[in-house]
Amino acid sequence: MKRRDFIKGTFAVGASAMLPINWVFAGNLPKGLSPLEVDSLKWSSVTDLPDYYKVLNSTPLNAYVADHMLDPSITPANVPFVRWNGLLPDFKAIDPKIWEFTVDGESCENPKTYTIADLKSKFKHHTYALTLECGGNSRKNFYPSAKGNQWTDSAVYCSEWTGVLVSDVLKDCGIKDDAVYTGHHSIDRHLSGKGDAISRGVPIQYALEDNALIAWSMNGEEIPYLHGYPLRIVFGGRPASISSKAATGISIRNVEHDGKKMESPAYRVPKYPVAPGEKVPLDDFEVIEHMIVKSLITHPQTGSEFKLGQKTAVRGHAWAGPLAVVKMEVSYDYGSTWHVADLKKQPNQMAWQDWSIELDLPQHGYYEIWSKATDSEGKTQPVVQPQWNPKGYMFNGCHRIAVRVQK
Ligand SMILES: Nc1nc2c(c(=O)[nH]1)N[C@H]1C(S)=C(S)[C@@H](COP(=O)(O)O)O[C@H]1N2
Ligand SMILES: [Mo]
């Protein structure tokens, strides 16, 4: 039997415990859900990544941190999940002074190549907090399991990006009337060493929105190597796969972009509801254009311990793609009753929103705290699981953590 470490406040204490001594509200847990395991947080280390990262794969590099490390409103540069589809670029060989960004494509009137200095001097600068969530975030929660990186719930972050608008740059090159899509290009290569690792794009109208950036800075500093140095295309609210790191250009396309990982079923879901485990014909998938309503509890850390009578402060973030979150609720009795949390406004569209609440957990024992966001169209997070899909995208079930109250 695995040892499970409980954590007092934010400090680890050596005490171990087995689940659960006094399992409060146990009868309310919906059929099919088992109590969360309170695994000890032991992170593997890999070159270049701090040892609090948990590494899913090293080639390609995929890694994430524990949910509670995403607590700040603006995610610091040393904690976002790291996702690469192919080989890592030779970062040390990159010279930002000669880095080029090219706009071309069938629907581009005047193809142009810019240096980073050109972009900085020619166009207005903008700074936005933008939520980047992998389309496969929380994939591990799907039952039956879906193939792909088994992300838990932290393949999402919201940092502040500074750059120029994609639309200003595309307009500078002239967008023909027949433009329908963008195609994004990066320097990194496929695992085979040949061809692009990934080259995705968006319907042209999204590229014209006023918070899609070509950014050279994250949180006021140079973009870290692993998050897109020296230049990144950043679209909040949409699957992060379109936010190309180490970006070398955008093609303005007169067809749906046909770059690497645009083909079905990559970043696509079935056009109609399917049974869990069902095989779906490739023609029956459609592209995911935006992420959906969801929330994350970032405090307390799962496994925390409280004293009976002590208020339990709970907080986190919530987001809903291009929409705002209008209501945030928390339950500590497996969804039987919900408590409305304080919810902050977005600093800008496509940014996550902070929320917080203080709970009075009524007696000693084991609890789960669940969080549920509702968006401006009234859509809310499912308690058990959302529509299953073959690639395990867009899981947005309620977030769950486990805590214990001592007598
Ligand atoms: N150049 C490049 N950009 C990329 C990728 C990649 O493999 N190469 N992966 C995409 C995917 S699938 C995701 S989820 C995000 C991850 O961004 P992060 O590593 O900053 O968290 O980057 C996107 N941009
Ligand atoms: Mo992703």
Side-chain angles (χ1 to χ4, degrees):
M1 185 87 179
K2 226 195 299 177
R3 220 188 90 172
R4 298 171 205 286
D5 289 346
F6 273 79
I7 293 170
K8 201 169 220 138
T10 50
F11 301 101
V13 291
S16 72
M18 297 299 165
L19 275 182
I21 297 166
N22 181 28
W23 186 359
V24 190
F25 301 123
N28 290 350
L29 188 67
K31 258 213 159 78
L33 281 189
S34 45
L36 288 174
E37 297 194 7
V38 186
D39 283 324
S40 63
L41 298 169
K42 285 212 188 84
W43 305 111
S44 12
S45 63
V46 82
T47 334
D48 289 333
L49 277 179
D51 65 3
Y52 50 79
Y53 272 91
K54 180 149 182 114
V55 176
L56 283 171
N57 314 289
S58 48
T59 314
L61 182 58
N62 294 300
Y64 63 94
V65 301
D67 302 338
H68 70 278
M69 298 195 77
L70 294 171
D71 193 43
S73 308
I74 296 296
T75 311
N78 62 345
V79 299
F81 77 103
V82 173
R83 163 67 169 137
W84 289 84
N85 286 264
L87 301 171
L88 291 182
D90 180 1
F91 295 116
K92 302 234 158 75
I94 292 175
D95 179 353
K97 286 195 209 69
I98 56 169
W99 188 267
E100 291 184 338
F101 190 87
T102 299
V103 178
D104 59 13
E106 307 90 354
S107 299
C108 176
E109 310 236 8
N110 303 300
K112 286 186 193 174
T113 295
Y114 305 90
T115 61
I116 296 176
D118 292 336
L119 294 173
K120 285 182 176 172
S121 64
K122 273 193 92 143
F123 303 102
K124 192 170 172 233
H125 298 190
H126 297 259
T127 298
Y128 292 115
L130 297 169
T131 306
L132 294 184
E133 183 179 19
C134 181
N137 187 25
S138 308
R139 180 180 284 126
K140 192 171 194 280
N141 303 338
F142 271 115
Y143 180 84
S145 59
K147 275 209 193 107
N149 286 317
Q150 296 299 298
W151 298 112
T152 55
D153 302 302
S154 58
V156 58
Y157 66 108
C158 185
S159 294
E160 228 167 43
W161 298 87
T162 300
V164 295
L165 296 185
V166 171
S167 71
D168 283 348
V169 179
L170 298 191
K171 282 176 193 157
D172 188 54
C173 301
I175 305 168
K176 290 187 190 164
D177 289 344
D178 64 351
V180 294
Y181 233 84
T182 60
H184 305 171
H185 306 291
S186 302
I187 198 172
D188 48 313
R189 302 291 82 195
H190 187 262
L191 288 177
S192 64
K194 286 192 212 104
D196 293 334
I198 185 167
S199 170
R200 294 185 42 81
V202 290
I204 190 75
Q205 66 270 26
Y206 299 151
L208 302 180
E209 287 179 351
D210 82 351
N211 43 37
L213 296 177
I214 303 169
W216 52 78
S217 160
M218 175 178 165
N219 298 345
E221 314 256 354
E222 270 182 353
I223 302 172
Y225 285 158
L226 291 173
H227 299 296
Y229 181 80
L231 198 63
R232 183 171 194 175
I233 299 170
V234 195
F235 281 77
R238 312 200 178 275
S241 55
I242 60 181
S243 291
S244 305
K245 303 188 273 192
T248 53
I250 294 181
S251 302
I252 310 176
R253 305 294 316 267
N254 64 4
V255 290
E256 183 175 288
H257 183 52
D258 51 1
K260 192 83 193 159
K261 302 231 171 174
M262 281 299 295
E263 68 282 0
S264 190
Y267 302 101
R268 287 170 193 250
V269 291
K271 292 174 184 160
Y272 45 82
V274 302
E278 191 175 326
K279 277 232 174 334
V280 180
L282 288 181
D283 285 346
D284 289 358
F285 285 81
E286 62 190 6
V287 177
I288 301 166
E289 294 193 345
H290 59 83
M291 299 307 290
I292 53 178
V293 65
K294 195 166 171 181
S295 58
L296 187 70
I297 302 167
T298 55
H299 183 87
Q301 176 175 353
T302 194
S304 293
E305 213 174 72
F306 298 91
K307 268 222 154 351
L308 187 61
Q310 186 190 345
K311 293 255 183 213
T312 306
V314 180
R315 60 175 185 261
H317 315 291
W319 60 96
L323 302 179
V325 172
V326 297
K327 190 177 185 188
M328 190 60 222
E329 292 163 289
V330 170
S331 175
Y332 53 82
D333 58 6
Y334 306 103
S336 294
T337 54
W338 292 92
H339 306 264
V340 177
D342 288 332
L343 175 67
K344 289 229 175 94
K345 290 218 153 54
Q346 288 178 292
N348 54 257
Q349 197 193 3
M350 312 292 193
W352 70 19
Q353 293 164 246
D354 296 343
W355 55 266
S356 60
I357 188 169
E358 287 201 327
L359 300 177
D360 291 301
L361 301 178
Q363 52 167 295
H364 81 277
Y366 171 90
Y367 293 83
E368 289 188 17
I369 299 176
W370 291 6
S371 68
K372 183 170 77 163
T374 301
D375 71 21
S376 55
E377 290 180 349
K379 294 207 178 76
T380 191
Q381 295 182 250
V383 162
V384 181
Q385 72 167 337
Q387 171 62 52
W388 185 93
N389 63 89
K391 299 281 285 177
Y393 293 125
M394 295 207 289
F395 184 98
N396 75 333
C398 291
H399 190 219
R400 302 164 60 191
I401 64 162
V403 300
R404 184 187 287 279
V405 174
Q406 296 293 11
K407 268 193 244 190

